[in-house]
């Protein structure tokens, strides 16, 4: 027992080191002020702790994320920071209501291309938001990105973002005068270097946010937007965690935990937060499997923060820009973009339309647009509108109808059992979209991890071709091993 707790705590330490620079960067981006460093860190501390303890995805790490930061930036710019804390608390209340109302179960109906599209749109918004720093200190931003890529290849034990943050911050005072208005001949490469600057005391205190005369009804829509986006963001991370661990998260419990976390974050002056995919994966890779590791990450961050106030002011904004830009680049679904020319055209159109609507309008509008387009594509492509699973013998199942975002989760959830042998007949699968293909490939992965002997029979050639186009190299090998020749 003690050994397990020690392993979870060490994993929490690793995640805290990863989360530190990201929380600072997202906080400053959202508030456009040095105070934002603490706002981001308090979000990771309080939302992270309560979501870990009360959520429904063991080992999931919560903190400020790109999508949440984009919406929070608009709220803070419009209403000010104190009112924004009220919005974050209201968003938490909405999330608790979502969980109680079982809305979390609807996550399985969000198509994969919609997810890829709005994550790509968020990435573009983050990159566009860092253009000012890129124009002012292009050399330092580019050097930061280069060092991040290099340190990630050379040093595996310490997160690259922390290495670069410490190294550049420590060495820059020696080079500041050289890099300010730096030129090589007539070519201008770098201008003035901006720093975070002095930040207030780093001791968190419980405070009641001040509405400042703003009507609470005007805050309902932004609060609902943050609640919806945070819920989607968190539950998508939960799905990623399921794919890695082979477990099954509890969607509605996760929403209640996220809601409690955002309420606590708002009262302690923290940024609204959500399940963070990269930090959660780092936790799992380092042995974190329970709420202990995710909660430990928040406690360790609190210990860091108490002594960090005097140090954080010397961090260059251009270094944080480099970290954010590289983080945003990693948010794109590069596999889907790379295979867009061979993927189903309807799904590709959904992905790019969702991405553009995210950048031009609003995240909630983008997701709604993407789901409606996916429904239209489904109706055009599929003659039947519902898939079913028929059991012929003890472990012999036949899937009939379309495997799409509307049915894939239900179909493969029903097939996850303790049976050591499982046979799937796909002869009557009439249509498969990207969500259905991804779900089948993940099911094959899960069967291998669980030691289930899986065989797939009568796979239609067009479905097989679609699977091979969308699969990774490892998944193609697994697919060949389980597909029986026609």
């Amino acid at each position: 027992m003690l050994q397990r707790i020690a392993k979870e705590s060490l994993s929490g330490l690793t995640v805290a080191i990863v989360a530190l620079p990201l929380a600072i960067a997202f906080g400053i981006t959202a508030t456009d002020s040095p105070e934002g460093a603490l706002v981001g860190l308090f979000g990771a501390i309080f939302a992270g702790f309560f979501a870990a303890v009360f959520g429904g995805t063991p080992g999931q790490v919560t903190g400020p994320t790109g999508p949440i930061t984009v919406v929070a930036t608009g709220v803070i710019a419009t209403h000010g920071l104190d009112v924004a804390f009220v919005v974050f608390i209201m968003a938490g209340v909405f999330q608790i209501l979502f969980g109680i109302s079982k809305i979390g179960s609807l996550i399985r109906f969000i198509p994969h291309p919609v997810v890829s599209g709005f994550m790509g749109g968020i990435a573009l918004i983050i990159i566009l938001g860092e253009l000012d720093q890129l124009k002012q200190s292009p050399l330092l931003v580019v050097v930061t990105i280069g060092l991040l890529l290099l340190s990630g290849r050379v040093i595996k034990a310490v997160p690259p973002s922390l290495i670069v943050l410490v190294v550049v911050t420590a060495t820059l005072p020696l080079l500041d005068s050289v890099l300010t208005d730096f030129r090589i001949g007539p070519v201008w490469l770098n201008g003035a270097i901006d720093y975070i600057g002095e930040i207030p005391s780093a001791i968190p205190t419980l405070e009641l946010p001040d509405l400042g005369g703003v009507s609470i009804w005007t805050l309902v829509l932004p609060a609902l937007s943050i609640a919806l986006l945070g819920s989607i963001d968190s539950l998508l991370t939960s799905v990623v965690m399921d794919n890695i661990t082979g477990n099954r998260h509890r969607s509605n419990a996760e929403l209640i935990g996220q809601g409690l976390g955002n309420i606590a974050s708002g009262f302690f002056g923290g940024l609204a937060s959500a399940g963070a995919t990269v930090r959660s994966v780092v936790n799992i890779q380092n042995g974190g499997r329970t709420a202990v590791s995710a909660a430990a990450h928040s406690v360790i961050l609190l210990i860091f923060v108490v002594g960090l106030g005097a140090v954080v002011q010397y961090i260059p904004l251009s270094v944080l820009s480099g970290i954010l830009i590289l983080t945003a680049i990693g948010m794109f679904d590069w596999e889907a973009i790379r295979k867009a020319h061979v993927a189903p055209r309807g799904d590709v159109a959904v992905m790019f339309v969702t991405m553009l609507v995210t950048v031009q309008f609003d995240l909630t509008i983008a997701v709604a647009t993407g789901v409606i387009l996916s429904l239209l594509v489904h109706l055009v492509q599929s003659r039947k509108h519902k898939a079913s699973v028929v059991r012929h013998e003890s472990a012999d199942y036949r899937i009939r109808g379309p495997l799409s975002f509307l049915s894939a989760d239900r179909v493969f959830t029903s097939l996850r059992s303790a049976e050591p042998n499982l046979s799937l007949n796909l002869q009557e699968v009439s249509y498969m979209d990207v969500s259905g293909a991804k779900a089948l490939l993940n099911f094959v992965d899960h069967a291998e991890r669980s030691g289930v002997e899986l065989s797939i029979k009568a796979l239609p050639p067009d479905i097989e071709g679609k699977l091979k186009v969308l699969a990774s190299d490892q998944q193609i090998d697994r697919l060949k091993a389980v597909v029986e020749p026609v």
Side-chain angles (χ1 to χ4, degrees), residues 357-374:
V357 174
T358 300
V359 175
Q360 280 295 116
F361 298 101
D362 177 81
L363 295 162
T364 309
I365 294 173
V367 172
T369 302
V371 171
I372 291 169
L373 280 177
S374 296

PDB file of all heavy atoms in Angstrom, residues 357-374:
ATOM      1  N   VAL A 357     -15.062  27.462 -38.381  1.00  0.00           N
ATOM      2  CA  VAL A 357     -16.104  28.080 -37.561  1.00  0.00           C
ATOM      3  C   VAL A 357     -15.565  28.381 -36.161  1.00  0.00           C
ATOM      4  O   VAL A 357     -15.898  29.397 -35.555  1.00  0.00           O
ATOM      5  CB  VAL A 357     -17.356  27.174 -37.491  1.00  0.00           C
ATOM      6  CG1 VAL A 357     -18.379  27.750 -36.512  1.00  0.00           C
ATOM      7  CG2 VAL A 357     -17.989  27.027 -38.867  1.00  0.00           C
ATOM      8  N   THR A 358     -14.709  27.496 -35.642  1.00  0.00           N
ATOM      9  CA  THR A 358     -14.091  27.734 -34.334  1.00  0.00           C
ATOM     10  C   THR A 358     -13.290  29.032 -34.328  1.00  0.00           C
ATOM     11  O   THR A 358     -13.379  29.837 -33.401  1.00  0.00           O
ATOM     12  CB  THR A 358     -13.167  26.560 -33.950  1.00  0.00           C
ATOM     13  OG1 THR A 358     -13.923  25.351 -33.894  1.00  0.00           O
ATOM     14  CG2 THR A 358     -12.511  26.796 -32.597  1.00  0.00           C
ATOM     15  N   VAL A 359     -12.508  29.240 -35.378  1.00  0.00           N
ATOM     16  CA  VAL A 359     -11.664  30.434 -35.462  1.00  0.00           C
ATOM     17  C   VAL A 359     -12.505  31.690 -35.705  1.00  0.00           C
ATOM     18  O   VAL A 359     -12.278  32.733 -35.092  1.00  0.00           O
ATOM     19  CB  VAL A 359     -10.611  30.277 -36.580  1.00  0.00           C
ATOM     20  CG1 VAL A 359      -9.806  31.561 -36.759  1.00  0.00           C
ATOM     21  CG2 VAL A 359      -9.675  29.111 -36.259  1.00  0.00           C
ATOM     22  N   GLN A 360     -13.495  31.586 -36.573  1.00  0.00           N
ATOM     23  CA  GLN A 360     -14.263  32.757 -36.986  1.00  0.00           C
ATOM     24  C   GLN A 360     -15.342  33.164 -35.989  1.00  0.00           C
ATOM     25  O   GLN A 360     -15.617  34.351 -35.817  1.00  0.00           O
ATOM     26  CB  GLN A 360     -14.937  32.492 -38.333  1.00  0.00           C
ATOM     27  CG  GLN A 360     -14.027  32.661 -39.538  1.00  0.00           C
ATOM     28  CD  GLN A 360     -13.561  34.095 -39.710  1.00  0.00           C
ATOM     29  OE1 GLN A 360     -12.377  34.368 -39.607  1.00  0.00           O
ATOM     30  NE2 GLN A 360     -14.485  35.011 -39.969  1.00  0.00           N
ATOM     31  N   PHE A 361     -15.953  32.185 -35.330  1.00  0.00           N
ATOM     32  CA  PHE A 361     -17.122  32.499 -34.510  1.00  0.00           C
ATOM     33  C   PHE A 361     -16.925  32.084 -33.056  1.00  0.00           C
ATOM     34  O   PHE A 361     -16.392  32.830 -32.261  1.00  0.00           O
ATOM     35  CB  PHE A 361     -18.380  31.841 -35.112  1.00  0.00           C
ATOM     36  CG  PHE A 361     -18.703  32.339 -36.482  1.00  0.00           C
ATOM     37  CD1 PHE A 361     -18.374  31.587 -37.605  1.00  0.00           C
ATOM     38  CD2 PHE A 361     -19.337  33.557 -36.665  1.00  0.00           C
ATOM     39  CE1 PHE A 361     -18.659  32.043 -38.889  1.00  0.00           C
ATOM     40  CE2 PHE A 361     -19.637  34.021 -37.939  1.00  0.00           C
ATOM     41  CZ  PHE A 361     -19.291  33.264 -39.049  1.00  0.00           C
ATOM     42  N   ASP A 362     -17.337  30.856 -32.739  1.00  0.00           N
ATOM     43  CA  ASP A 362     -17.401  30.463 -31.337  1.00  0.00           C
ATOM     44  C   ASP A 362     -17.266  28.944 -31.250  1.00  0.00           C
ATOM     45  O   ASP A 362     -17.690  28.219 -32.153  1.00  0.00           O
ATOM     46  CB  ASP A 362     -18.753  30.924 -30.759  1.00  0.00           C
ATOM     47  CG  ASP A 362     -18.935  30.490 -29.336  1.00  0.00           C
ATOM     48  OD1 ASP A 362     -18.386  31.164 -28.451  1.00  0.00           O
ATOM     49  OD2 ASP A 362     -19.619  29.482 -29.103  1.00  0.00           O
ATOM     50  N   LEU A 363     -16.690  28.465 -30.148  1.00  0.00           N
ATOM     51  CA  LEU A 363     -16.453  27.033 -29.996  1.00  0.00           C
ATOM     52  C   LEU A 363     -17.757  26.248 -29.912  1.00  0.00           C
ATOM     53  O   LEU A 363     -17.890  25.172 -30.507  1.00  0.00           O
ATOM     54  CB  LEU A 363     -15.616  26.787 -28.741  1.00  0.00           C
ATOM     55  CG  LEU A 363     -14.199  27.360 -28.796  1.00  0.00           C
ATOM     56  CD1 LEU A 363     -13.617  27.474 -27.404  1.00  0.00           C
ATOM     57  CD2 LEU A 363     -13.323  26.487 -29.655  1.00  0.00           C
ATOM     58  N   THR A 364     -18.719  26.777 -29.178  1.00  0.00           N
ATOM     59  CA  THR A 364     -19.995  26.087 -29.040  1.00  0.00           C
ATOM     60  C   THR A 364     -20.718  26.012 -30.380  1.00  0.00           C
ATOM     61  O   THR A 364     -21.276  24.964 -30.748  1.00  0.00           O
ATOM     62  CB  THR A 364     -20.888  26.814 -28.009  1.00  0.00           C
ATOM     63  OG1 THR A 364     -20.138  27.010 -26.809  1.00  0.00           O
ATOM     64  CG2 THR A 364     -22.128  26.017 -27.704  1.00  0.00           C
ATOM     65  N   ILE A 365     -20.699  27.120 -31.120  1.00  0.00           N
ATOM     66  CA  ILE A 365     -21.308  27.127 -32.461  1.00  0.00           C
ATOM     67  C   ILE A 365     -20.587  26.134 -33.368  1.00  0.00           C
ATOM     68  O   ILE A 365     -21.219  25.423 -34.164  1.00  0.00           O
ATOM     69  CB  ILE A 365     -21.251  28.545 -33.069  1.00  0.00           C
ATOM     70  CG1 ILE A 365     -22.132  29.508 -32.271  1.00  0.00           C
ATOM     71  CG2 ILE A 365     -21.678  28.541 -34.535  1.00  0.00           C
ATOM     72  CD1 ILE A 365     -22.000  30.954 -32.698  1.00  0.00           C
ATOM     73  N   ALA A 366     -19.270  26.060 -33.235  1.00  0.00           N
ATOM     74  CA  ALA A 366     -18.477  25.154 -34.077  1.00  0.00           C
ATOM     75  C   ALA A 366     -18.851  23.693 -33.837  1.00  0.00           C
ATOM     76  O   ALA A 366     -19.038  22.918 -34.781  1.00  0.00           O
ATOM     77  CB  ALA A 366     -16.990  25.370 -33.815  1.00  0.00           C
ATOM     78  N   VAL A 367     -18.960  23.307 -32.566  1.00  0.00           N
ATOM     79  CA  VAL A 367     -19.313  21.916 -32.247  1.00  0.00           C
ATOM     80  C   VAL A 367     -20.719  21.602 -32.750  1.00  0.00           C
ATOM     81  O   VAL A 367     -20.958  20.546 -33.345  1.00  0.00           O
ATOM     82  CB  VAL A 367     -19.204  21.665 -30.730  1.00  0.00           C
ATOM     83  CG1 VAL A 367     -19.750  20.284 -30.371  1.00  0.00           C
ATOM     84  CG2 VAL A 367     -17.751  21.781 -30.271  1.00  0.00           C
ATOM     85  N   ALA A 368     -21.659  22.541 -32.533  1.00  0.00           N
ATOM     86  CA  ALA A 368     -23.033  22.317 -33.008  1.00  0.00           C
ATOM     87  C   ALA A 368     -23.070  22.188 -34.528  1.00  0.00           C
ATOM     88  O   ALA A 368     -23.744  21.300 -35.075  1.00  0.00           O
ATOM     89  CB  ALA A 368     -23.927  23.474 -32.552  1.00  0.00           C
ATOM     90  N   THR A 369     -22.322  23.055 -35.218  1.00  0.00           N
ATOM     91  CA  THR A 369     -22.257  22.999 -36.682  1.00  0.00           C
ATOM     92  C   THR A 369     -21.677  21.670 -37.149  1.00  0.00           C
ATOM     93  O   THR A 369     -22.198  21.029 -38.086  1.00  0.00           O
ATOM     94  CB  THR A 369     -21.397  24.157 -37.224  1.00  0.00           C
ATOM     95  OG1 THR A 369     -21.945  25.401 -36.790  1.00  0.00           O
ATOM     96  CG2 THR A 369     -21.340  24.131 -38.746  1.00  0.00           C
ATOM     97  N   GLY A 370     -20.610  21.234 -36.500  1.00  0.00           N
ATOM     98  CA  GLY A 370     -19.959  19.977 -36.880  1.00  0.00           C
ATOM     99  C   GLY A 370     -20.864  18.782 -36.693  1.00  0.00           C
ATOM    100  O   GLY A 370     -20.920  17.883 -37.555  1.00  0.00           O
ATOM    101  N   VAL A 371     -21.602  18.744 -35.579  1.00  0.00           N
ATOM    102  CA  VAL A 371     -22.503  17.615 -35.323  1.00  0.00           C
ATOM    103  C   VAL A 371     -23.641  17.598 -36.345  1.00  0.00           C
ATOM    104  O   VAL A 371     -24.012  16.528 -36.864  1.00  0.00           O
ATOM    105  CB  VAL A 371     -23.067  17.695 -33.885  1.00  0.00           C
ATOM    106  CG1 VAL A 371     -24.172  16.666 -33.679  1.00  0.00           C
ATOM    107  CG2 VAL A 371     -21.952  17.470 -32.862  1.00  0.00           C
ATOM    108  N   ILE A 372     -24.206  18.771 -36.664  1.00  0.00           N
ATOM    109  CA  ILE A 372     -25.294  18.839 -37.651  1.00  0.00           C
ATOM    110  C   ILE A 372     -24.800  18.383 -39.024  1.00  0.00           C
ATOM    111  O   ILE A 372     -25.477  17.604 -39.723  1.00  0.00           O
ATOM    112  CB  ILE A 372     -25.866  20.270 -37.722  1.00  0.00           C
ATOM    113  CG1 ILE A 372     -26.603  20.605 -36.423  1.00  0.00           C
ATOM    114  CG2 ILE A 372     -26.797  20.425 -38.921  1.00  0.00           C
ATOM    115  CD1 ILE A 372     -26.976  22.065 -36.278  1.00  0.00           C
ATOM    116  N   LEU A 373     -23.601  18.847 -39.427  1.00  0.00           N
ATOM    117  CA  LEU A 373     -23.030  18.406 -40.705  1.00  0.00           C
ATOM    118  C   LEU A 373     -22.794  16.900 -40.713  1.00  0.00           C
ATOM    119  O   LEU A 373     -23.040  16.220 -41.724  1.00  0.00           O
ATOM    120  CB  LEU A 373     -21.715  19.137 -40.972  1.00  0.00           C
ATOM    121  CG  LEU A 373     -21.807  20.563 -41.520  1.00  0.00           C
ATOM    122  CD1 LEU A 373     -20.410  21.158 -41.658  1.00  0.00           C
ATOM    123  CD2 LEU A 373     -22.524  20.579 -42.871  1.00  0.00           C
ATOM    124  N   SER A 374     -22.311  16.360 -39.590  1.00  0.00           N
ATOM    125  CA  SER A 374     -22.076  14.910 -39.511  1.00  0.00           C
ATOM    126  C   SER A 374     -23.372  14.138 -39.656  1.00  0.00           C
ATOM    127  O   SER A 374     -23.410  13.075 -40.297  1.00  0.00           O
ATOM    128  CB  SER A 374     -21.403  14.569 -38.177  1.00  0.00           C
ATOM    129  OG  SER A 374     -20.128  15.152 -38.084  1.00  0.00           O
TER     130      SER A 374
END
